[in-house]
């Protein structure tokens, strides 16, 4: 494996290891798209990130669950408190949380001629496989530049989502499959000589999003990304948050030095598969950040 070895003052190799929490959510806005969202937070930064989110709640005196799908129509009035907290969370992410919290979204195009639906006899087979793919890409994009020798992954997914999976005698193997794939991905990287950290330990936890703000932030970022991609809501709140994320998406396509929000390797969106069956970054969005222009989504 190609790595850059660092040495200390005594000419001894430096061993770099970090523990990361990865919060997971998924969304299916229509028959075409499956979206996987992953939020990467170093274990040592989790409490500080939660503190920022709690402060936004306290500012609005709102303690309810934040779900993008359940946002009200307006930011105003008593019933708009949920939407105002959601907007504050995205503003906090844009302004400073992105230094500690990285977000990656994989958009799977199930209408692509290269999408192999026959490989997934049950829906959860696709969910699990593409979650593993998103995790591998997220580690490569967000963590590899940190020149780590190994990582410990604490993968947190919404318990409610997992409970809805098994049906007709099929058992969702999510909790066993992800660690297995993570191990295979390390082996593949070693064989191919790519820079990729050893996954020293991989733990999957199912947690109720109702009591986990970082799962709710993952849901919010993924929902806003969904709105940018398909423009499926007429609600002003959802459109505004979708436009915020759309501006980030357009900004990260610029050279890092030219970016307004400095989100390079902190925020990422990519899709799979293209016409050659490969990943691609030039995702087309239905939503337009300029409300005076009409942009058509290319199916």
């Amino acid at each position: 494996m190609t790595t850059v070895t660092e040495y200390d003052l005594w000419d001894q190799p430096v061993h770099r290891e970090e523990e990361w929490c990865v919060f997971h959510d998924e969304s299916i806005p229509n028959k075409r798209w499956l979206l996987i969202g992953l939020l990467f937070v170093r274990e040592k930064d989790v409490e500080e990130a939660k503190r920022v989110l709690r402060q936004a709640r306290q500012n609005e005196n709102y303690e309810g669950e934040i779900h993008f799908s359940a946002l009200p129509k307006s930011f105003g009035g008593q019933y708009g408190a949920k939407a105002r907290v959601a907007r504050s969370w995205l503003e906090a992410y844009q302004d400073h949380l992105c230094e500690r919290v990285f977000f990656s979204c994989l958009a799977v195009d199930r209408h692509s001629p290269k999408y192999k639906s026959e490989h997934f006899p049950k829906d959860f087979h696709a969910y699990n496989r593409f979650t593993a793919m998103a995790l591998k890409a997220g580690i490569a994009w967000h963590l590899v530049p940190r020149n780590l020798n190994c990582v410990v992954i604490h993968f947190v997914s919404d318990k409610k989502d997992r409970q809805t999976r098994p049906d007709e005698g099929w058992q969702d193997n999510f909790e066993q499959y992800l660690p297995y794939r993570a191990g295979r991905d390390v082996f593949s990287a070693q064989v191919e000589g790519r820079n990729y950290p050893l996954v020293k330990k991989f733990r999957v936890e199912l947690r109720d999003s109702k009591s986990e703000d970082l799962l709710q932030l993952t849901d919010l970022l993924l929902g806003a990304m969904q709105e940018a991609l398909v423009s499926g809501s007429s609600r002003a709140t959802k459109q505004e948050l979708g436009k915020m994320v759309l501006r980030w998406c357009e900004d990260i396509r610029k050279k890092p030095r030219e970016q307004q929000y400095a989100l390079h390797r902190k925020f990422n969106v990519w899709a799979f598969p293209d016409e050659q069956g490969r990943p691609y970054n030039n995702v087309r969005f239905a939503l337009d950040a300029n409300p005076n222009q009409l942009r058509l989504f290319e199916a």
Side-chain angles (χ1 to χ4, degrees):
M1 182 184 299
T2 303
T3 57
V4 178
T5 303
E6 297 183 30
Y7 296 88
D8 60 21
L9 295 176
W10 295 272
D11 204 31
Q12 296 297 312
V14 175
H15 179 80
R16 295 188 177 276
E17 176 180 330
E18 291 181 346
E19 184 171 353
W20 284 80
C21 292
V22 182
F23 296 87
H24 162 251
D25 195 19
E26 57 203 32
S27 177
I28 306 176
N30 54 33
K31 293 182 179 180
R32 177 176 181 178
W33 295 103
L34 163 64
L35 306 184
I36 306 292
L38 299 178
L39 193 75
F40 289 78
V41 191
R42 278 193 307 176
E43 182 69 40
K44 63 185 293 185
D45 292 328
V46 164
E47 287 307 314
E48 175 59 21
K50 289 184 177 182
R51 185 196 65 78
V52 172
L53 301 180
R54 284 196 299 268
Q55 184 61 55
R57 287 186 177 279
Q58 292 169 4
N59 292 344
E60 294 293 341
N61 192 28
Y62 183 81
E63 296 299 330
E65 189 169 6
I66 304 294
H67 268 309
F68 187 85
S69 63
L71 291 180
K73 297 179 181 179
S74 170
F75 290 103
Q78 176 183 355
Y79 295 104
K82 177 188 292 188
R84 293 195 297 273
V85 171
R87 182 170 58 189
S88 294
W89 281 10
L90 291 197
E91 289 172 345
Y93 179 86
Q94 173 183 283
D95 295 341
H96 55 88
L97 258 185
C98 61
E99 299 296 333
R100 301 172 181 265
V101 177
F102 307 149
F103 180 74
S104 184
C105 175
L106 164 60
V108 181
D109 185 357
R110 297 181 293 182
H111 284 184
S112 168
K114 292 297 183 178
Y115 179 78
K116 305 297 185 181
S117 58
E118 65 273 14
H119 291 177
F120 311 110
K122 283 291 181 180
D123 286 344
F124 70 77
H125 292 148
Y127 302 147
N128 295 355
R129 179 65 189 96
F130 290 115
T131 296
M133 179 186 290
L135 178 62
K136 177 183 177 182
I139 291 174
W141 185 245
H142 298 299
L143 304 190
V144 163
R146 303 175 71 85
N147 196 31
L148 301 173
N149 299 98
C150 62
V151 293
V152 174
I153 299 294
H154 179 194
F155 196 92
V156 184
S157 189
D158 192 345
K159 181 185 296 186
K160 294 191 295 292
D161 287 343
R162 305 269 67 80
Q163 290 173 339
T164 61
R165 288 294 151 70
D167 62 336
E168 300 179 12
W170 291 77
Q171 181 64 41
D172 185 351
N173 62 340
F174 182 80
E175 295 169 81
Q176 294 75 39
Y177 179 77
L178 285 184
Y180 160 75
R181 284 299 311 194
R184 282 192 56 179
D185 291 338
V186 170
F187 178 76
S188 296
Q190 291 175 336
V191 170
E192 297 170 9
R194 290 184 287 109
N195 186 9
Y196 195 87
L198 172 69
V199 179
K200 181 179 179 181
K201 184 177 180 181
F202 194 111
R203 177 163 63 98
V204 179
E205 179 183 356
L206 305 183
R207 193 179 296 177
D208 192 337
S209 62
K210 186 186 304 183
S211 58
E212 178 51 75
D213 277 355
L214 288 170
L215 273 176
Q216 293 176 48
L217 176 61
T218 309
D219 171 275
L220 182 65
L221 285 163
L222 188 63
M225 176 63 70
Q226 172 182 304
E227 179 63 19
L229 180 66
V230 304
S231 190
S233 177
S234 60
R235 295 196 171 189
T237 51
K238 295 183 179 181
Q239 289 183 357
E240 180 172 328
L241 300 186
K243 289 174 183 178
M244 183 182 298
V245 168
L246 176 59
R247 288 191 290 270
W248 303 347
C249 293
E250 294 179 340
D251 197 55
I252 59 175
R253 292 177 176 177
K254 303 175 184 176
K255 296 179 180 179
R257 292 183 179 180
E258 299 174 354
Q259 292 179 11
Q260 177 182 353
Y261 304 111
L263 290 173
H264 180 63
R265 291 197 183 272
K266 302 168 187 174
F267 177 88
N268 187 45
V269 55
W270 58 291
F272 175 87
D274 66 6
E275 295 179 352
Q276 285 74 45
R278 297 179 299 209
Y280 61 99
N281 293 317
N282 59 332
V283 182
R284 296 184 180 273
F285 301 99
L287 192 64
D288 198 313
N290 184 346
N292 297 319
Q293 293 181 353
L294 176 65
R295 171 186 276 174
L296 296 179
F297 181 68
E298 296 186 11

